[in-house]
Amino acid sequence: MISNDHVKQWMNLQPVTLSKEDTLPETLVLFSEIADKELPVVENGHLLGVITLQDCVTYLYEKNDILCIMKTDYYAVSEDFSLNDKKTPERPLYVLHEKNGALEGVVGNEEMIAYYEYVREREKDARQTIEWLKLGFDTAYEGVAIVDEKGTILLFNESYSRYVGVSKEEALGRPAADVIENSRLPAVLKTGVPERSQPHRLQGQELVVHRLPIWKNGQVIGAVGILVYEGISEIRQVLQRMERLQTTDKQSEKQMSREPLAQGPTHFDDIIGESPGISKAKKIGRKASKAKATVLITGESGVGKEPFARAIHEDGSRSSGPFVAVNCAAIPENLLESELFGYMQGAFTGTRNNGKPGKVELASGGTLFLDEIGDMPHTTQAKILRVLQEKEVDRVGGTTPIPVDFRLIAATNKDLKKQMEEDKFREDLFYRLHVMPLHIPPLRDRKQDIPLIIADRLPKLSEENETQETTIEKEVLERMFQYDWPGNVRELLNVLEQMFHLCEDDHIRLEDLPDGFNEQTQVTESLSEWQERKQKQEEKFERKQIEKVLGEVDGNKSKAAKRLGISRATLYNKLSRFS
């Protein structure tokens, strides 16, 4: 097979040639018409030798017979000779027939220039292809890691980096077993047997993975690991979509859209987002769900603190018990205590004859979620602290304590440390709550999650309203990336629903955005610059957390890793990065 690099693809089939009867002055005229400094002498289609421009000028007035100065030192090649050969000379190449030796063509200066231009274009296309492959590799939702035959990581994408908490730069060149917890890629390299759709626990998270050997010439030269699904609920969602494709009955679709998955418990798999900030929050949340300690969730209004609280409850040991939520900011101060602690018969005029249990009692055996705890009055804070310490509650108007057993998750959009300085929040309660802190970043710091949130919510809006599936213009997303989202995810969902109902032809366009979005805003930084800035912020926060925990355990790395919910290898990786 002739390659595009072979001389047959580039040779001049009708080159300028000399005969042995030509004179030196005639030869000089021919040299003036070509770019080469060498001409072939041909007789009956066969190459006799070559005349160089230098010899022609040197002997112009001494000799007239070109045979006297003709040289037989020339570069003869076959038609399958590759121009990509590093030994290719700067002189012309004479392509001779393999059997009869006839001159078939010449690759001179002009042909080499054309070939090198082709090579440059091909390299340009290759660089663009490589750039697209790199972007696609890092954009992929699935985590992908590729190792060589020794198990050394050659390629490692952003998604995998988020799962294991190790940057791509750290992972490359290291053994997979040192970077990926419980990795079986070394086993696949030894056996050559693929492991498809296997359960895998990574950083406390249940995943479904593929581990596939890479074969070449009958030998395993590497392996690829792919994180396919994030938990069981994502698999169920895929199965539901497949079922919908197999039915045309609208009533059946409506019924399936109301299956328990859509309205059932919230798990971490249901929280949409793959940005570094939200991935870290989900990782901490999963660790918190396995513990019994109090969790304090912080974040601006609208970031989704309650879904995290519900996911911690559902993935924990108390999932069979109740999840009781109380918004401390929504209940008047004079009613909050009776709502929380309940009241006895006759405690208030016009109340139930038999009294009423409070939210704390109702949460016994499960989880009590106190949202916006920063708005709780001082007196109620003191009583909540006593309940946590004594594990018993006194109803309003009651005299006998009632034992309670619940797990507390609190959330706030306020700076509790600042409130402590202003004497608005009890210091002892803060430290009682601040055992396992979990911060949810604002949407403006994780804008790369916007397309994922829209992709999840938009089909659900179509199902709920029994309409055709609605699409959205790219320009709308670009404008959303320029907006700061003070209302966070809640605002994004409200804006999306508004556009869904107002758009024409089931297609959301730029003009469907609310007025505030249509004002042209100046983008102060590119997405890549924003991502780099955010990564540095996340690393700075993570470093402070690790240093804090190491200080609490007197530098014991095993204890620190256990408290942080990561492996010792991961902790050492992070410490080496920070040094």
Side-chain angles (χ1 to χ4, degrees), residues 72-315:
T72 57
D73 177 21
Y74 51 82
Y75 286 95
V77 297
S78 62
E79 64 179 19
D80 61 352
F81 180 80
S82 174
L83 293 176
N84 199 32
D85 193 323
K86 294 182 180 179
K87 298 179 181 179
T88 301
E90 295 182 0
R91 293 171 58 187
L93 300 175
Y94 301 99
V95 185
L96 305 183
H97 194 279
E98 289 186 359
K99 293 183 178 180
N100 59 31
L103 180 65
E104 294 187 307
V106 176
V107 178
N109 193 50
E110 290 184 359
E111 289 74 38
M112 289 302 297
I113 290 174
Y115 170 69
Y116 287 136
E117 182 63 29
Y118 160 75
V119 170
R120 280 193 293 270
E121 287 297 320
R122 191 168 60 174
E123 288 178 347
K124 180 181 177 182
D125 291 342
R127 285 194 296 270
Q128 289 178 342
T129 300
I130 291 171
E131 184 64 24
W132 276 110
L133 288 173
K134 288 170 62 179
L135 288 171
F137 186 70
D138 280 332
T139 304
Y141 175 79
E142 297 81 5
V144 183
I146 298 176
V147 300
D148 63 14
E149 71 279 2
K150 297 179 181 179
T152 301
I153 296 176
L154 301 178
L155 294 172
F156 199 74
N157 74 351
E158 290 285 358
S159 294
Y160 221 129
S161 175
R162 289 195 296 269
Y163 278 109
V164 300
V166 178
S167 69
K168 291 192 300 181
E169 292 74 19
E170 288 180 287
L172 296 178
R174 300 187 59 191
D178 292 349
V179 177
I180 304 170
E181 183 182 2
N182 304 319
S183 174
R184 280 188 50 80
L185 287 176
V188 171
L189 289 171
K190 290 181 180 180
T191 64
V193 178
E195 298 181 356
R196 296 176 59 87
S197 303
Q198 296 297 307
H200 183 77
R201 177 175 285 273
L202 185 63
Q203 299 291 315
Q205 182 177 354
E206 298 294 342
L207 304 167
V208 178
V209 305
H210 294 330
R211 307 180 189 99
L212 309 174
I214 302 173
W215 290 84
K216 184 178 181 180
N217 299 327
Q219 290 186 326
V220 176
I221 63 167
V224 55
I226 307 173
L227 307 181
V228 188
Y229 292 116
E230 183 183 342
I232 192 67
S233 65
E234 190 172 3
I235 299 176
R236 287 175 179 164
Q237 289 174 357
V238 173
L239 292 174
Q240 282 191 356
R241 294 188 190 107
M242 291 176 67
E243 289 177 7
R244 292 189 184 103
L245 290 174
Q246 297 171 4
T247 179
T248 57
D249 184 3
K250 193 68 180 179
Q251 186 63 33
S252 296
E253 288 187 4
K254 184 177 179 181
Q255 182 179 356
M256 280 188 292
S257 70
R258 293 175 179 173
E259 287 183 2
L261 179 62
Q263 299 178 354
T266 299
H267 298 276
F268 286 104
D269 307 336
D270 304 313
I271 297 175
I272 307 301
E274 292 302 323
S275 61
I278 206 69
S279 296
K280 179 180 178 181
K282 287 198 282 187
K283 186 183 297 184
I284 295 173
R286 287 188 177 94
K287 297 296 183 183
S289 68
K290 307 305 177 187
K292 297 181 180 179
T294 302
V295 181
L296 178 62
I297 304 175
T298 57
E300 296 178 6
S301 179
V303 295
K305 296 186 284 293
E306 183 165 343
F308 267 86
R310 290 184 178 276
I312 292 171
H313 168 75
E314 293 297 339
D315 289 0

Side-chain angles (χ1 to χ4, degrees), residues 5 62 92 117 139 147 169 182 210 213 231 248 327 367 370 383 392 405 415 442 505 509-510 563 577:
D5 295 333
E62 297 180 15
E117 182 63 29
T139 304
V147 300
E169 292 74 19
N182 304 319
H210 294 330
T248 57
N327 189 325
T367 300
L370 296 181
K383 293 183 178 181
E392 58 185 25
D405 176 25
D415 184 347
D505 305 323
R509 298 174 175 83
L510 202 57
R563 183 171 293 192
R577 186 172 76 237

Side-chain angles (χ1 to χ4, degrees), residues 452-471:
L452 297 177
I453 296 170
I454 292 175
D456 176 74
R457 182 58 184 154
L458 207 51
K460 292 177 180 176
L461 285 171
S462 298
E463 288 180 5
E464 292 167 4
N465 292 274
E466 299 184 6
T467 64
Q468 295 263 347
E469 187 165 330
T470 301
T471 54

